[in-house]
Amino acid sequence: MEKKDLDWGNLGFAYMPTSYSYVCNYKDGAWEEGGLTADHTITLSECAGILHYCQEIFEGLKAYTTENGDIVCFRPDLNATRMADSAERLVMPPFPEDKFVEAVKMVVEANKEWVPPYGSGATLYVRPFMFASGEVIGVKPASEYQFRILVTPVGPYFKGGDTAITVTIADYDRAAPRGTGNIKAGLNYAMSLYPYEQAHKNGFAENIYLDSATHTYVEETGGANVLLVDKNGALVVPKSPTILPSITRRSLMVVAKDYLGMEVIERPVKFEEITNGDFVECGLCGTAAVISPVGHIKAEGVDVTFPDGAEHSGPVMAKLRQTLTDIQACKIEGPEGWVCKIC
């Protein structure tokens, strides 16, 4: 099998149609068999529930080529579980978790020539998503849904590579207490677009959101969880019921504790701890970027520099990222079930 003739080392993080997607419909109270399609378009009624009441959820994971040529993905079972949790919150029929994993395997293998070669720095991004396709005019759940998976080769999410980014503090709230901040729904990201664009206009890479109830605790950014390293070298992970349970974050916590022997502390983190200089490194973690180092936080009355990672990844963030990516690439043996071989 020959790879596609692409400039793999210079891919952006953008959509590129590939050979196949996966599609499966829910109708009359059951999911159909589902399968591959070469049609990357969707036809909907103007009264489809997604267009009126935002019943939509999604996931994100990646497929990699290992040094020995295998194609693998990372912990798809956790994506399946998180998507089922998201579906229940929005009164959507959960897509069966075993079927989810098999669908990921099916669509990645069908597009194996699009999986970037080992060492290119690129990956195949896998985007499962589900939306209300059934017609609904009153405020209620739809009766029909479509589950799809698209795949596309991508380069790094942040173009600066290991260059530390500067972020700001959002003037807006991300998620209300007892709201939908802990599920991966498109509606959570829609509200973040305006503050994201405002941050970019002002020269910042991202926003950090504080808790909407008191505006004193660190939550996450518009698309990533926050990691911190304190002066004692411990990994400190902000905890909140409105933070998305990132698979990358959870994996990095295991890596820190079990592979690097670090103390890992998951707890609510007051923003004043950051402004007081209690932390020496900061990073944003997620599927797309793995870890992107944060060197500075700037906002009105706020000017924070993380001394051990002001220009690029500090020693802890660098080691965390390298260890996790080595597990994903099968250079290091990870915990059982973390790496899922596709072909």
Side-chain angles (χ1 to χ4, degrees), residues 58-269:
F58 69 97
E59 278 297 323
L61 62 156
K62 291 179 178 179
Y64 313 80
T65 302
T66 64
E67 191 170 8
N68 67 3
D70 289 342
I71 294 174
V72 303
C73 60
F74 187 68
R75 307 190 78 179
D77 56 317
L78 293 191
N79 293 97
T81 300
R82 186 171 65 181
M83 192 168 202
D85 292 341
S86 297
E88 289 186 3
R89 178 64 178 83
L90 294 189
V91 199
M92 303 169 73
F95 195 72
E97 294 182 33
D98 56 346
K99 192 177 180 74
F100 178 104
V101 175
E102 289 306 312
V104 168
K105 291 179 179 179
M106 183 187 301
V107 73
V108 171
E109 184 168 10
N111 290 284
K112 57 188 176 183
E113 70 271 22
W114 295 94
V115 181
Y118 175 78
S120 65
T123 56
L124 186 75
Y125 190 77
V126 181
R127 168 59 60 84
F129 60 106
M130 187 202 308
F131 56 89
S133 55
E135 296 175 352
V136 57
I137 196 69
V139 182
K140 62 180 182 179
S143 60
E144 297 180 9
Y145 298 84
Q146 186 169 108
F147 171 86
R148 297 180 71 97
I149 304 177
L150 67 84
V151 299
T152 187
V154 297
Y157 188 72
F158 290 105
K159 294 181 180 179
D162 192 48
T163 302
I165 61 175
T166 299
V167 301
T168 190
I169 301 301
D171 292 328
Y172 297 83
D173 293 332
R174 175 186 165 270
R178 298 189 294 275
T180 58
N182 63 336
I183 67 169
K184 202 165 178 67
L187 55 88
N188 290 335
Y189 294 81
M191 55 67 55
S192 74
L193 296 178
Y194 180 78
Y196 181 76
E197 289 299 310
Q198 293 300 111
H200 272 215
K201 287 179 183 178
N202 292 320
F204 301 109
E206 250 290 11
N207 290 290
I208 287 180
Y209 291 89
L210 304 181
D211 75 290
S212 59
T214 68
H215 292 168
T216 56
Y217 290 93
V218 177
E219 292 267 293
E220 59 176 287
T221 71
N225 283 182
V226 176
L227 301 174
L228 298 156
V229 179
D230 69 17
K231 293 178 179 179
N232 296 320
L235 182 68
V236 179
V237 182
K239 183 178 182 179
S240 163
T242 51
I243 290 177
L244 184 74
S246 163
I247 293 162
T248 302
R249 184 199 75 209
R250 285 180 276 168
S251 301
L252 286 166
M253 290 170 67
V254 174
V255 167
K257 181 176 181 294
D258 296 345
Y259 284 73
L260 303 181
M262 294 176 58
E263 181 182 9
V264 177
I265 304 168
E266 187 176 16
R267 62 169 176 82
V269 175

Side-chain angles (χ1 to χ4, degrees), residues 158 161 163 165 282-285 289-294 313 321:
F158 290 105
T163 302
I165 61 175
C282 179
L284 307 182
C285 70
V290 185
I291 299 178
S292 181
V294 174
S313 290
R321 187 184 195 282

